[in-house]
Amino acid sequence: MLHPMPSLGSFAILLALVLCVYTLFSGIVSLRALAVGRQLAVAPEALRETSRRAGIASFIAISCAAFALIWAAFTNDFSVDYILHHTNRDLPTLYKFSALWSGQEGSLLLWAWLLAGYGFVMRIRDKADITLHAYASTILSAVQVFFLLLLVFAAPPFAIAAGPLHADGFGLNPLLQYPEMVIHPPMLYLGYVGFSVPFAFALGALMMRYPGEKWIHITRRWTMVTWLFLTCGICLGMHWAYAVLGWGGYWGWDPVENASLMPWLAGTAFLHSVMMQEKRGMMKVWNVWLIFATFMLSILGTLLTRSGLVSSVHAFAESNIGNWFYAFLLIVFVVCLFTFLRQRDHLKAENKLESLVSRESSFLFNNLVLLTACFTILWGTLFPILSEYVQGSKVTMGPPFYNRVAVPIGLFLIFLTGVGPLLAWRATSLRSIRRNLLLPCLAIIVSAVILMITGLRPWNETDGSTGAIYSLVCFSLAAGVITAIVTEFLRGANVIRTQTGKNLLTSTLLLTRRNTRRYGGYIIHFGIVVLFIGVAGSAFNQSRELEMSFGDSLQIGSYKLVCQSYSQDSNPNYDTDYALLDVFHNGKKVTQLSPERRFYNASQQTSTIVAIHSTLARDLYVVFEGRNPETDKPIIKVFLNPLVNWIWIGVAFVIFGTAIALVPPLKPATRRAEATEDSHLGSRISNLVSETAFSRIATGSEAPHA
Amino acid sequence: MRKRLLHIALLCALAVPMLGAGAPGSRFDALGHKLMCVCGCGQVLLECNHVGCPDSDREITELRTEIATGLPDTGVLNWFVAKYGPTVLAAPLRGGFDIVAWIVPFAALLVGIGLVVFFIRLWRKRTPPNPNGQPEPQIDASLRDRIRRDTTY
């Protein structure tokens, strides 16, 4: 039987593989020839150009394969085994797209597609430095070859289903039939895959002994965009878990969740420490290994969850592709180590750290804390295997472990978020520390006292839980960090207001436009702190469960839920049981909620759709758990989760801050034009900064506002 | 004035613990959050939300029974480990090698901090005080502040 679209898809993958292999080998040959000045039958530059073009063509080929799979999903081509197992006829159109990443083969195709997409953009924007881009392109093609080999030999997405043609598919996993699931996996993958680009540039720059720090400037946006995608992906996953899984939380420390957090932490550390290399030519070895580690952690996360090494409720466990990832990870490590050992003399620092109390050391401590958090998560994920090896029995590393170990580390990180930006490069004087830290410290003390007065008293917790003390510390530190950030904005805006005579708001906007990286960074820090505030609220979660029939009520906190009715509905995709509950707050009706429980016909699986009444103070989170088989009464579980909305608000700030940081700052010429009103001041400053010691202050080596 | 403010803040902080008591926590809740549901859902016992879960209801009943017998927390947890194996604990709490799980992350952090401090001190010693070899001009504090203000933004 002829299968045109699956055949096209398979052919496109094969073609992409051939093109990537060509990109890799022609890249190696041409770059080697250019490096040693050897003549080839064709000019090395021309060969390098064919390598680039083949890389671009590979994106088109993989796009064809992805299109063929999506087409097969939309046309219900159940001759394709993957489509048979991940879609059905009545699946809504939106979720037919999700089929692309709902299974092992499809998600690997998505990975390869995104990687090719990144490669495509990188290869068409090679004017900044053709040779460096050629190195990066060749390295990226090696990664592409790995994923394409997987698609050809280990997990072919276009395999034909055995036996007679099925009339309908087995359906998409119900948990994936939620709007966020249409964007969460691509976002997460854009994050994972995106780290391949800075990795390729870093390795390429090291291989060719690239002079200076230009490769960092070239990759900065790549890294930030990638980091943003990963952040969005993780947070969308949190929101999905919160809204769909129905256990009242958003983060369960599952190995799959941990796998996404590890490269995020390492990537965050890289984004910070790379600034030291840019500004002061320091930590070159550290930065190179940090980006290597970030890329390898992306691969390791995939290995952990797909090899069956650790069990996860939502992993593609026990598949046969684990060995491929082991081999790939080993090869990547060996190549990185070999290149580093060969070129390590190229990574000598131009400056050394001079003081324990300086911006540099705060970056170093920030890196240390982020990497300790990363290590803790890796340790927690792998400890069951170690325990089995040593003690002969597996253990569970669940939320109590991470809450007790990772939370203090997180609090230390918040502290550094506040303190770090207030310190000057090179060294900070005691006077400067006192001046910059006084207000934040006061904010910490005052907020702690107010919180204790208003009832947050950890010493009254008799069950030994540490949640309340952690929350108190988190809220107080958050107050300090927010004060520090606001103070920094106001201080800068006041200077501009004095110079230009504009109002405070305009001055703040101008200030941000002049140094988008720095003030975008502050907004990101603000977002992270707000996110932590939301997380700290979880120490005060409450829950109640009740069998409720018509007219029954349930009281939780200041909310009262009254059952109005139960009903059933059905559509071709699923049957649903839902409740209608009137919600009263302090005796006043505020809303009506209808939590659902769905039964999906194709997959014969159930899923919950949580109903949430969300306010800035708390979420009322209602789950229809099902019916008691003995009494047939519906079971309703209600959670009162304080401050959850602040998590999503914090994420919005992080996205906004990253967008600001990605915008190029106002050019000096524009800035000069704006400062004409005070031109005489400029000339005075020029005279002052011409002296060595003065210029040290002005360029930031002593000033806290560098 | 600053000292007085600090004293007031400290007094407030010390006075707060005497402002009454909060609600006592529940031992059942605490222990229920240290145990896993054994059905394979990967959730903490009191957070398992499967209707018709074959295990969580039974485990919860067992937990109530064991607490009622007057066993201390460790005794209750040991009873569950004896019945379901060590994976029933939501975190390794049995002592022995399990302690390593808790110590290693903090040890790594401490070693890291120690290394950072050590290297900064080492580098500081190696850095010449003034690379130009010229004495730095004296700058009074007000001028330094003005330069900062005028040049930073």
Side-chain angles (χ1 to χ4, degrees):
Chain A
M1 190 178 168
L2 194 65
H3 304 284
M5 282 313 266
S7 303
L8 172 73
S10 298
F11 174 74
I13 290 174
L14 267 175
L15 179 65
L17 177 62
V18 171
L19 288 165
C20 283
V21 169
Y22 178 79
T23 308
L24 175 63
F25 286 103
S26 58
I28 291 171
V29 172
S30 62
L31 291 170
R32 183 78 194 139
L34 284 166
V36 299
R38 189 191 309 148
Q39 288 301 311
L40 302 171
V42 288
E45 289 85 356
L47 190 61
R48 185 180 64 189
E49 179 59 16
T50 61
S51 167
R52 185 180 79 92
R53 290 183 185 191
I56 290 171
S58 73
F59 170 64
I60 298 164
I62 299 175
S63 298
C64 286
F67 171 75
L69 196 64
I70 294 169
W71 181 268
F74 273 90
T75 55
N76 300 313
D77 187 351
F78 300 121
S79 67
V80 180
D81 195 58
Y82 182 81
I83 300 299
L84 174 69
H85 285 94
H86 295 96
T87 66
N88 59 298
R89 284 185 191 280
D90 296 319
L91 190 67
T93 309
L94 187 68
Y95 301 125
K96 299 252 178 178
F97 273 112
S98 315
L100 179 59
W101 48 81
S102 59
Q104 173 111 280
E105 298 84 355
S107 61
L108 286 172
L109 178 59
L110 176 69
W111 190 304
W113 190 22
L114 296 176
L115 188 60
Y118 274 117
F120 174 79
V121 178
M122 190 192 81
R123 284 165 185 133
I124 60 168
R125 290 170 58 90
D126 71 333
K127 299 293 175 279
D129 191 306
I130 290 173
T131 313
L132 179 61
H133 274 77
Y135 271 92
S137 164
T138 307
I139 292 161
L140 210 60
S141 67
V143 183
Q144 281 182 270
V145 165
F146 166 71
F147 279 96
L148 289 166
L149 282 172
L150 271 178
L151 286 171
V152 171
F153 296 107
F158 295 99
I160 301 300
L165 191 63
H166 289 74
D168 200 0
F170 301 138
L172 183 68
N173 185 338
L175 293 176
L176 304 181
Q177 296 191 37
Y178 191 75
E180 267 166 304
M181 263 296 152
V182 181
I183 48 171
H184 157 61
M187 282 280 177
L188 202 62
Y189 277 46
L190 277 166
Y192 276 145
V193 178
F195 279 119
S196 312
V197 178
F199 163 77
F201 272 104
L203 188 58
L206 189 58
M207 280 175 173
M208 67 182 284
R209 299 175 72 84
Y210 194 77
E213 322 304 339
K214 196 180 169 189
W215 73 269
I216 289 177
H217 297 296
I218 294 170
T219 56
R220 186 183 151 258
R221 286 205 180 151
W222 284 104
T223 316
M224 286 200 70
V225 168
T226 296
W227 182 87
L228 181 62
F229 279 133
L230 192 55
T231 308
C232 290
I234 291 171
C235 294
L236 282 167
M238 284 167 69
H239 195 265
W240 166 80
Y242 187 62
V244 171
L245 297 184
W247 59 278
Y250 37 80
W251 192 265
W253 297 106
D254 181 87
V256 170
E257 293 169 337
N258 294 349
S260 66
L261 197 56
M262 286 188 287
W264 185 87
L265 288 165
T268 309
F270 175 72
L271 276 171
H272 283 88
S273 69
V274 86
M275 276 188 261
M276 286 176 65
Q277 188 168 343
E278 272 183 282
K279 297 238 178 205
R280 306 218 48 219
M282 295 163 70
M283 294 180 75
K284 293 181 180 179
V285 173
W286 180 266
N287 284 330
V288 159
W289 275 104
L290 211 46
I291 195 63
F292 289 172
T294 305
F295 174 70
M296 283 190 268
L297 281 169
S298 299
I299 302 296
L300 181 71
T302 314
L303 162 72
L304 286 177
T305 51
R306 293 183 189 227
S307 65
L309 195 63
V310 290
S311 53
S312 159
V313 284
H314 55 309
F316 306 101
E318 305 298 338
S319 68
N320 58 350
I321 62 167
N323 289 337
W324 287 76
F325 278 94
Y326 279 121
F328 182 61
L329 201 57
L330 186 69
I331 291 168
V332 170
F333 180 73
V334 168
V335 170
C336 290
L337 185 66
F338 176 75
T339 312
F340 168 73
L341 290 175
R342 257 187 85 156
Q343 315 281 29
R344 66 184 182 280
D345 58 314
H346 177 63
L347 297 173
K348 277 193 181 145
E350 291 153 30
N351 288 297
K352 301 273 186 210
L353 277 171
E354 293 171 30
S355 168
L356 255 177
V357 189
S358 63
R359 183 78 67 90
E360 292 93 323
S361 64
S362 84
F363 275 128
L364 213 53
F365 279 111
N366 148 299
N367 265 235
L368 177 71
V369 174
L370 284 166
L371 291 185
T372 306
C374 182
F375 170 75
T376 301
I377 293 166
L378 184 63
W379 173 252
T381 311
L382 294 178
F383 189 77
I385 303 160
L386 188 66
S387 171
E388 192 174 22
Y389 181 73
V390 174
Q391 307 187 102
S393 61
K394 268 197 173 176
V395 291
T396 307
M397 301 293 269
F401 168 79
Y402 293 102
N403 292 343
R404 218 165 251 261
V405 177
V407 172
I409 295 171
L411 292 176
F412 189 23
L413 192 63
I414 298 187
F415 169 75
L416 285 176
T417 306
V419 172
L422 301 178
L423 302 178
W425 293 99
R426 294 184 71 177
T428 311
S429 66
L430 199 63
R431 188 172 153 271
S432 169
I433 294 172
R434 218 182 298 145
R435 192 186 60 177
N436 290 317
L437 293 184
L438 182 68
L439 268 179
C441 287
L442 269 178
I444 290 172
I445 294 167
V446 170
S447 59
V449 171
I450 290 172
L451 285 167
M452 286 189 273
I453 289 171
T454 51
L456 181 45
R457 294 167 202 148
W459 56 89
N460 287 336
E461 299 294 321
T462 52
D463 61 354
S465 72
T466 49
I469 181 76
Y470 284 154
S471 295
L472 179 65
V473 176
C474 182
F475 291 141
S476 309
L477 283 175
V481 177
I482 289 171
T483 306
I485 293 169
V486 171
T487 311
E488 278 292 282
F489 267 98
L490 287 178
R491 195 178 287 162
N494 270 326
V495 172
I496 290 190
R497 192 177 59 166
T498 314
Q499 286 176 352
T500 62
K502 290 177 177 164
N503 65 38
L504 194 64
L505 182 66
T506 315
S507 302
T508 309
L509 291 175
L510 194 57
L511 174 80
T512 310
R513 284 176 65 202
R514 283 184 181 183
N515 197 341
T516 49
R517 274 181 77 174
R518 180 176 168 198
Y519 291 97
Y522 281 158
I523 295 170
I524 296 171
H525 283 185
F526 179 78
I528 295 287
V529 170
V530 171
L531 191 150
F532 266 90
I533 290 174
V535 172
S538 64
F540 310 102
N541 285 359
Q542 300 173 47
S543 66
R544 276 198 70 190
E545 189 180 272
L546 198 68
E547 282 184 26
M548 291 178 83
S549 19
F550 177 72
D552 285 349
S553 66
L554 182 154
Q555 185 81 36
I556 184 165
S558 53
Y559 286 93
K560 185 181 173 187
L561 283 83
V562 179
C563 177
Q564 285 305 319
S565 70
Y566 286 95
S567 193
Q568 291 179 326
D569 202 355
S570 69
N571 66 32
N573 193 28
Y574 57 81
D575 301 326
T576 181
D577 250 358
Y578 63 92
L580 279 176
L581 303 161
D582 282 347
V583 178
F584 296 86
H585 186 232
N586 293 326
K588 188 181 165 193
K589 186 179 171 185
V590 286
T591 188
Q592 189 174 61
L593 295 175
S594 59
E596 290 179 51
R597 190 163 182 87
R598 292 177 181 172
F599 178 78
Y600 288 84
N601 302 316
S603 60
Q604 299 283 298
Q605 291 180 52
T606 53
S607 169
T608 51
I609 297 293
V610 177
I612 303 173
H613 172 61
S614 203
T615 66
L616 285 179
R618 60 189 74 81
D619 275 13
L620 182 72
Y621 179 102
V622 186
V623 188
F624 188 122
E625 292 205 312
R627 289 175 187 273
N628 184 330
E630 289 163 15
T631 62
D632 201 39
K633 275 189 177 180
I635 304 166
I636 298 292
K637 187 159 187 177
V638 185
F639 296 81
L640 202 57
N641 299 336
L643 304 178
V644 173
N645 244 336
W646 291 98
I647 295 175
W648 322 126
I649 292 170
V651 174
F653 272 107
V654 170
I655 295 168
F656 177 62
T658 314
I660 295 275
L662 282 167
V663 173
L666 278 182
K667 285 180 182 167
T670 324
R671 289 168 63 171
R672 270 201 297 278
E674 280 179 2
T676 46
E677 295 161 38
D678 200 10
S679 56
H680 66 284
L681 179 72
S683 61
R684 268 168 42 212
I685 294 164
S686 308
N687 292 336
L688 283 169
V689 298
S690 60
E691 292 177 48
T692 313
F694 285 14
S695 66
R696 263 181 58 190
I697 300 166
T699 51
S701 55
E702 283 189 13
H705 310 303
Chain B
M1 182 63 183
R2 268 186 197 162
K3 271 189 179 172
R4 190 159 291 175
L5 278 173
L6 194 67
H7 288 158
I8 292 168
L10 279 172
L11 268 176
C12 289
L14 289 170
V16 167
M18 297 159 193
L19 291 174
S26 155
R27 195 174 161 222
F28 169 77
D29 267 0
L31 284 172
H33 280 94
K34 286 180 181 168
L35 294 166
M36 300 295 288
C37 173
V38 293
C39 76
C41 63
Q43 287 184 325
V44 168
L45 177 59
L46 295 189
E47 284 168 8
C48 175
N49 58 349
H50 301 159
V51 170
C53 172
D55 299 299
S56 61
D57 284 346
R58 188 186 66 245
E59 272 186 87
I60 287 170
T61 313
E62 287 168 347
L63 178 60
R64 288 190 196 283
T65 312
E66 291 309 307
I67 289 172
T69 59
L71 275 173
D73 287 1
T74 326
V76 174
L77 295 176
N78 284 341
W79 186 89
F80 274 91
V81 170
K83 182 165 184 189
Y84 296 105
T87 49
V88 76
L89 298 176
L93 299 166
R94 297 169 298 163
F97 185 71
D98 282 5
I99 296 171
V100 175
W102 301 90
I103 291 173
V104 166
F106 291 111
L109 181 63
L110 288 176
V111 169
I113 290 173
L115 283 174
V116 169
V117 173
F118 172 76
F119 279 113
I120 291 175
R121 290 202 166 160
L122 191 74
W123 289 331
R124 236 177 109 185
K125 275 183 195 165
R126 284 183 189 170
T127 310
N130 184 349
N132 297 330
Q134 291 168 350
E136 290 194 11
Q138 291 299 309
I139 311 159
D140 68 72
S142 61
L143 183 58
R144 183 190 294 263
D145 271 352
R146 208 176 115 220
I147 295 166
R148 275 197 191 118
R149 276 202 313 275
D150 293 348
T151 57
T152 305
Y153 302 100

Coordinates of all heavy atoms in Angstrom, one line a residue, chain A residues 159-190:
Chain A
A159 N 7.0 5.5 11.1 CA 6.8 4.1 11.0 C 5.4 3.7 10.7 O 4.4 4.3 11.2 CB 7.3 3.5 12.3
I160 N 5.2 2.7 9.8 CA 3.8 2.3 9.5 C 3.3 1.3 10.5 O 4.0 0.4 10.9 CB 3.8 1.7 8.0 CG1 4.4 2.7 7.0 CG2 2.4 1.2 7.6 CD1 3.6 4.0 6.9
A161 N 2.0 1.6 10.9 CA 1.4 0.7 11.9 C 1.2 -0.7 11.4 O 0.9 -0.9 10.2 CB 0.0 1.3 12.3
A162 N 1.5 -1.6 12.3 CA 1.3 -3.0 11.9 C -0.1 -3.4 11.8 O -1.0 -2.8 12.5 CB 2.1 -3.9 12.9
G163 N -0.4 -4.4 11.0 CA -1.8 -5.0 11.0 C -2.7 -4.2 10.1 O -2.3 -3.3 9.4
P164 N -4.0 -4.5 10.2 CA -5.0 -3.8 9.3 C -5.1 -2.3 9.7 O -4.8 -2.0 10.8 CB -6.3 -4.6 9.5 CG -6.1 -5.2 10.9 CD -4.6 -5.5 11.0
L165 N -5.6 -1.5 8.7 CA -5.7 -0.1 9.0 C -6.8 0.1 10.0 O -7.9 -0.4 9.9 CB -6.1 0.6 7.6 CG -6.0 2.1 7.7 CD1 -4.6 2.6 7.9 CD2 -6.5 2.7 6.3
H166 N -6.5 0.9 11.0 CA -7.5 1.3 12.1 C -8.4 2.4 11.6 O -8.0 3.3 10.9 CB -6.8 1.7 13.3 CG -6.0 0.6 14.0 ND1 -4.9 0.0 13.5 CD2 -6.3 -0.1 15.2 CE1 -4.5 -0.9 14.4 NE2 -5.3 -1.0 15.3
A167 N -9.7 2.3 12.1 CA -10.7 3.3 11.7 C -10.5 4.6 12.5 O -10.8 5.6 12.1 CB -12.1 2.7 11.9
D168 N -10.0 4.4 13.7 CA -9.8 5.6 14.6 C -8.6 5.4 15.4 O -8.1 4.2 15.7 CB -11.0 5.8 15.5 CG -11.1 7.2 16.0 OD1 -10.2 8.0 15.7 OD2 -12.0 7.5 16.8
G169 N -8.0 6.5 15.9 CA -6.8 6.4 16.7 C -7.1 6.2 18.2 O -8.3 6.3 18.6
F170 N -6.0 6.0 19.0 CA -6.2 5.8 20.4 C -6.3 7.1 21.2 O -6.4 7.0 22.4 CB -5.0 4.9 20.9 CG -4.9 3.5 20.2 CD1 -3.7 3.0 19.8 CD2 -6.1 2.8 19.9 CE1 -3.7 1.8 19.1 CE2 -6.0 1.6 19.2 CZ -4.8 1.1 18.8
G171 N -6.1 8.2 20.5 CA -6.3 9.5 21.2 C -5.1 10.0 21.8 O -4.1 9.3 22.1
L172 N -5.2 11.3 22.1 CA -4.1 12.1 22.8 C -4.3 11.9 24.3 O -5.4 11.9 24.8 CB -4.2 13.5 22.3 CG -3.1 14.5 22.8 CD1 -1.8 14.1 22.2 CD2 -3.5 15.9 22.5
N173 N -3.2 11.8 25.0 CA -3.2 11.8 26.4 C -4.1 12.9 26.9 O -3.9 14.1 26.6 CB -1.8 11.9 26.9 CG -1.7 11.8 28.4 OD1 -2.7 12.0 29.2 ND2 -0.5 11.4 28.9
P174 N -5.1 12.6 27.8 CA -6.1 13.7 28.2 C -5.3 14.9 28.9 O -5.8 16.0 28.8 CB -7.0 13.0 29.2 CG -6.9 11.6 28.8 CD -5.6 11.3 28.3
L175 N -4.3 14.5 29.6 CA -3.6 15.6 30.3 C -3.0 16.6 29.4 O -2.7 17.8 29.8 CB -2.4 15.0 31.2 CG -2.8 14.1 32.3 CD1 -1.6 13.5 33.0 CD2 -3.7 14.9 33.3
L176 N -2.8 16.2 28.1 CA -2.2 17.1 27.1 C -3.3 17.9 26.4 O -3.0 18.8 25.6 CB -1.4 16.4 26.1 CG -0.2 15.5 26.7 CD1 0.5 14.9 25.5 CD2 0.7 16.4 27.5
Q177 N -4.6 17.6 26.7 CA -5.7 18.3 26.0 C -6.1 19.5 26.8 O -7.1 19.6 27.5 CB -6.8 17.4 25.8 CG -6.4 16.2 24.9 CD -7.6 15.4 24.4 OE1 -8.7 15.9 24.1 NE2 -7.4 14.1 24.2
Y178 N -5.2 20.5 26.8 CA -5.4 21.7 27.6 C -4.6 22.8 26.8 O -3.5 22.6 26.3 CB -4.8 21.5 29.0 CG -5.1 22.7 29.9 CD1 -6.4 22.7 30.5 CD2 -4.2 23.7 30.3 CE1 -6.8 23.8 31.3 CE2 -4.6 24.7 31.1 CZ -5.8 24.7 31.7 OH -6.2 25.8 32.5
P179 N -5.3 24.0 26.6 CA -4.7 25.0 25.7 C -3.2 25.3 26.0 O -2.4 25.4 25.0 CB -5.5 26.2 26.0 CG -6.8 25.7 26.4 CD -6.6 24.4 27.2
E180 N -2.8 25.3 27.2 CA -1.4 25.6 27.5 C -0.4 24.6 27.0 O 0.7 24.9 26.7 CB -1.2 25.8 29.0 CG -1.3 27.2 29.5 CD -1.4 27.3 31.0 OE1 -2.3 26.6 31.5 OE2 -0.6 28.0 31.6
M181 N -1.0 23.4 26.9 CA -0.1 22.3 26.4 C 0.3 22.4 24.9 O 1.1 21.8 24.4 CB -0.8 20.9 26.6 CG -0.3 20.3 27.9 SD 1.5 19.9 27.8 CE 1.9 19.9 29.5
V182 N -0.5 23.3 24.2 CA -0.1 23.6 22.8 C 1.1 24.4 22.7 O 1.9 24.4 21.8 CB -1.3 24.3 22.1 CG1 -1.0 24.5 20.7 CG2 -2.6 23.4 22.3
I183 N 1.4 25.3 23.8 CA 2.6 26.1 23.7 C 3.7 25.7 24.7 O 4.8 26.1 24.5 CB 2.2 27.6 23.8 CG1 1.3 27.9 25.0 CG2 1.7 28.2 22.6 CD1 1.2 29.4 25.3
H184 N 3.3 25.0 25.8 CA 4.3 24.7 26.8 C 5.5 23.9 26.3 O 6.6 24.3 26.4 CB 3.6 24.1 28.0 CG 4.5 23.2 28.9 ND1 5.6 23.7 29.5 CD2 4.5 21.9 29.2 CE1 6.2 22.8 30.2 NE2 5.6 21.6 30.0
P185 N 5.2 22.7 25.6 CA 6.4 22.0 25.1 C 7.2 22.7 24.1 O 8.5 22.7 24.2 CB 5.7 20.7 24.6 CG 4.4 20.6 25.2 CD 4.0 22.0 25.4
P186 N 6.6 23.4 23.1 CA 7.5 24.1 22.2 C 8.4 25.1 22.9 O 9.6 25.3 22.6 CB 6.6 24.8 21.2 CG 5.3 24.0 21.3 CD 5.2 23.5 22.7
M187 N 7.8 25.8 23.9 CA 8.6 26.8 24.6 C 9.7 26.2 25.3 O 10.9 26.7 25.3 CB 7.7 27.5 25.7 CG 6.8 28.5 25.1 SD 7.7 30.1 24.8 CE 6.5 31.1 24.1
L188 N 9.4 25.1 26.0 CA 10.5 24.4 26.8 C 11.6 23.9 25.8 O 12.8 24.0 26.1 CB 9.8 23.2 27.5 CG 10.5 22.7 28.7 CD1 10.6 23.7 29.8 CD2 9.7 21.5 29.3
Y189 N 11.1 23.3 24.7 CA 12.1 22.8 23.8 C 12.9 23.9 23.1 O 14.1 23.8 22.9 CB 11.4 22.0 22.7 CG 11.1 20.6 23.1 CD1 10.6 20.3 24.3 CD2 11.4 19.5 22.3 CE1 10.3 19.0 24.7 CE2 11.1 18.2 22.7 CZ 10.6 18.0 23.9 OH 10.3 16.7 24.3
L190 N 12.3 25.1 22.9 CA 13.0 26.2 22.4 C 14.1 26.6 23.3 O 15.2 27.0 23.0 CB 12.1 27.4 22.1 CG 11.3 27.4 20.8 CD1 10.2 28.4 20.8 CD2 12.3 27.7 19.6

